[in-house]
Amino acid sequence: MADEKRFHHILDQDLELCLLDEEDARGTTASGIESLREGLIATDPVLQRLAVRGIGRLEDPEFVPLTFPLLFSDDETVRAEAVNAMGQAVFGVAGDEVAEVLFDYLVRESQEGPAVRGVIGRTLGRIYYNEEGGLQRAEETLLALTREGDADAPLSALMGAVMGLEQMARRRDRYGMSDATVQRLGELAAFGRAEGAARAEDQSDIEEVEGDEVAPGRAGDPLHFGDPARIRRVAITALSWIGELTPDVVEGAIRDLDPEVRRLAVTAIGRSSSDDELTELLLEGLADPSPRVRVEAVRAFAVRAEGARECPILFSASGDDDLHVALAALDLLQQTCDNRARQDELLSGLAAGLEIAGPLDWQRGAHALVALATVAPDSAALFVVDAVANANPFVRMYAGYAAARMGSTGLLETLATDASPNVRTVAVQALFGIAGHGADPVLVAQLDQDDPQLLLTVAGLLEETPNASEAIGPLVAALTRISQGQRQTARDPRMALLDRIAELGSGDQVVDLEPYLNDYDPVVATRVAEILTDWTGAPRMAESAPLVRQAVPLAEEVQRLAGTSVIFEMARGGEIEIRLLAEEAPTHAARFRLLVGLGAFDGLTFHRVVSNFVIQGGSPDANEYSGDAAYTRDELGLVSHWRGTVGASTRGRDTGDGQIFINLVDNLRLDHDYTVFGEVVRGMDVVDRVAEGDVIVQARVIVQ
């Protein structure tokens, strides 16, 4: 008997590997989706869940009938994945027929399955409808779903319904929501806020613990939610999208105990029409204990207040203890204030500090320099030359931004020869903005570089150049050079170069492009076939020779990864611990763990920091287009982009490049577009402090 169980276990593991492989290959292997079909009828619910999830990730509406029987599984997780798969199958196309199935199914799905009902709500909200009647029925269904259960019922169904309404609210330009829905969302904006639990106006009595908070119902459990504050957040976001946040809702939210609710309230004020009462509420936001709230308050106040009131607030906020609040204020000082002397003194003082700034304290001076260059270029000239020669490439990038504001082509031409391709990119963009195609010689000179972002930028700027004869040779040479590495993640710059070659070239370049008909990247090969057909008038066919796909992780590896964390030791201080969500995104988790084990993240930076959005890092060249060589396929699923979740950077479907981002706030608009493969379980306070250019000293793997 034991031998028989072991035999079946081995068979199940073999099938699991095949399921992941066919999903990863998007059905292009010799077996097609044979294993996925087999998994759909397996007796093991784990295999069924993997199979139906994989079918959904193919994003093909023809496979919807395959998922339908799984709606009636005895296993809650299988039913939930089946619902999600049906919604994923109609990505990018009208899903009215799927919605009709889900409307009927919602009636059949018992009240005992609130988690599945929640997934139905989320799915109905994200489907695109051809018929307005379907959209209206979806809204009415979600509204009814928000009223189910009682105070002791699980939050899953309610959470899913509110998330669905928020997704519909993003399409407010097509369909205005009913008064009943708006009223209900207003009620839910205060959901779970106990009597007397609002934040006191006297904030000196408040002691908030921020950063390492662990909310009930972690992101890694996508079916069960236990945090009422999340419902308030999503309801307020929906109301903000449709422009229906009333003063009473905002006033309650801005005094909520949850900092994210307060931040959303302040953001909504900044977007709303003029209202003196709401503007006064911003004063509370400016003194909020949470830096995330203060950042939004500074931005909102700058939008709503007149300049005479605005600049004193910005002067004060530029000295905030939190770096991100200060940078928000400094960026807004790129406008002339009434008190010019105070503005010049403040900005000049910070810009002068760049000369002695270290790797962890250059940001204030750099942002001040750009603001100074905008409002007082003569004053900025005293500091920008030293910034151009600074040892820190991030400082030199900001010197380029400042030189652009000043119109200094001489400094920009110097920066266009910088050792850092990121600095060059800033410089050539600025030069083109000033001189147009008069800067073409500088642009063409960049084509001997290998940085993908720089090449992509230059190829775009050379569009409609009158100097085609000077540009075409270097363009072809650049394409040849970066193609030799056979990096899938070089697709974007290669396609940009091909577009420019197609425009500027002729039959003289046919022999140069013909080898790419057999390129390792089918997208590139197809584009070359189009170009050659256009040039020669004779049909040419792409016959791509794709690279071998990276192996998907074995079942045993996925199990090990499920108990694995990665820790980033940050140069600014502190550690960030990321727990891998291997069961939700096994190939991304495996790749991340592999890169960390190889030391690939050691010494790299978080090169992109957008306050109250994300931090992004893991690029070898500290830019958007430099990543690991191979693409990783999307693993989109039920885990949402809540604050603290870790996602994979992509440039479209199935183009994961090894870079990662961490959500600083709830970014639900990224759901079903970007893979979530981890979550921060310790060190969110460290994440919140990360600034542009901050270094990951070391990344290490911890197995629980």
Side-chain angles (χ1 to χ4, degrees), residues 369 384-406 408-431 442 446 449 454:
L369 178 62
V384 71
V385 173
D386 287 340
V388 167
N390 195 284
N392 188 330
F394 284 96
V395 172
R396 301 200 300 276
M397 285 173 58
Y398 278 83
Y401 298 139
R405 303 291 200 281
M406 298 164 58
S408 176
T409 55
L411 289 177
L412 291 172
E413 287 174 352
T414 297
L415 291 170
T417 63
D418 195 271
S420 166
N422 296 332
V423 177
R424 289 184 179 226
T425 299
V426 170
V428 298
Q429 287 176 318
L431 281 170
V442 177
Q446 309 303 315
Q449 300 294 299
L454 178 60

Side-chain angles (χ1 to χ4, degrees), residues 79 105-114 117:
R79 299 198 304 275
Y105 178 61
L106 184 59
V107 176
R108 298 180 185 182
E109 177 67 31
S110 71
Q111 296 289 341
E112 303 300 320
R117 296 174 74 80

Side-chain angles (χ1 to χ4, degrees), residues 45 48-49 70 72-80 116:
Q48 284 190 315
R49 186 174 72 86
L70 278 299
F72 305 97
S73 168
D74 292 333
D75 187 273
E76 176 187 60
T77 63
V78 173
R79 299 198 304 275
V116 181

Side-chain angles (χ1 to χ4, degrees), residues 626-687:
S626 174
D628 196 26
Y631 279 145
T632 302
R633 310 298 182 267
D634 294 332
E635 293 175 295
L636 308 176
L638 288 168
V639 180
S640 287
H641 287 260
W642 302 109
R643 167 172 158 81
T645 51
V646 183
S649 165
T650 65
R651 306 159 198 169
R653 280 297 194 253
D654 297 331
T655 57
D657 60 3
Q659 293 190 38
I660 69 166
F661 64 87
I662 302 176
N663 288 297
L664 299 175
V665 298
D666 299 341
N667 287 316
L668 302 189
R669 61 191 173 89
L670 304 182
D671 288 1
H672 304 291
D673 281 326
Y674 295 88
T675 299
V676 175
F677 68 89
E679 61 178 337
V680 175
V681 294
R682 180 173 62 88
M684 270 307 294
D685 56 332
V686 180
V687 172

